[in-house]
Amino acid sequence: MPELLPTLKDLTVQSTVGGQLGKVVNCRVLSLLAQPSLVVNHQLKRILAEDDQPVLQLDEGDLRLTPVDFANQVSRQFANALAGVSAAAVARLVVIYAPSWAAECRLPADAQRIRIAHRQIRDVIQILYDRDTASHVQIIYGGFVFEDELATVLWDVNVDGVLIK
């Protein structure tokens, strides 16, 4: 029996400090924490073949990983999840960084942690593919953001928006 793909949904994203909202429509969200990356790879290829919008959700779980540990985890997950996927297909990708710990507690350095994580995600895509491909991938933050941190997060060149729940 073939694996079921996640249901189609639309996501609302705040992409500017002024509150401009956008949509990611007809997308299928694949979680790299909830499933093995090889399963995600298979599903990602099916989503791309069906011409739906692929969304990969990264989550470091309940642990707040150090930047080095986070980069190692992201590298491994992306390499496995994107194996055999062309640069043109990856350029269509939307990545959501949605750490579970963000719902639990927040520290003053969280805006910086978000910015570092997004930079690392874009760096991994650039290493796996190239700079042009990495620049086309939308990377959205999907965790909680304090109102006074929102502008700092959205002004970062590697953060393409914040998911509105």
Side-chain angles (χ1 to χ4, degrees), residues 32-47:
L32 285 170
L33 181 67
Q35 303 178 86
S37 52
L38 294 178
V39 171
V40 171
N41 176 263
H42 177 69
Q43 290 179 332
L44 176 61
K45 289 176 181 174
R46 283 190 52 210
I47 290 167

Side-chain angles (χ1 to χ4, degrees), residues 74-134:
V74 169
S75 298
R76 189 174 56 256
Q77 288 176 333
F78 263 125
N80 291 333
L82 299 178
V85 178
S86 71
V90 169
R92 292 182 35 211
L93 188 64
V94 174
V95 175
I96 298 175
Y97 170 52
S100 297
W101 57 258
E104 303 284 326
C105 65
R106 305 262 305 148
L107 298 173
D110 283 345
Q112 181 161 343
R113 182 182 291 267
I114 293 165
R115 291 171 42 217
I116 290 169
H118 281 244
R119 174 76 246 168
Q120 290 175 320
I121 292 166
R122 198 163 311 276
D123 286 347
V124 168
I125 298 167
Q126 182 175 328
I127 290 166
L128 292 174
Y129 294 92
D130 55 53
R131 178 176 287 158
D132 187 52
T133 301

Side-chain angles (χ1 to χ4, degrees), residues 13-20 114-115 141 145 149-163:
V13 177
Q14 182 174 344
S15 57
T16 65
V17 178
Q20 193 173 43
I114 293 165
R115 291 171 42 217
Y141 181 65
V145 179
E149 291 179 325
L150 186 59
T152 303
V153 171
L154 287 174
W155 278 333
D156 188 87
V157 67
N158 294 300
V159 179
D160 296 312
V162 173
L163 187 64

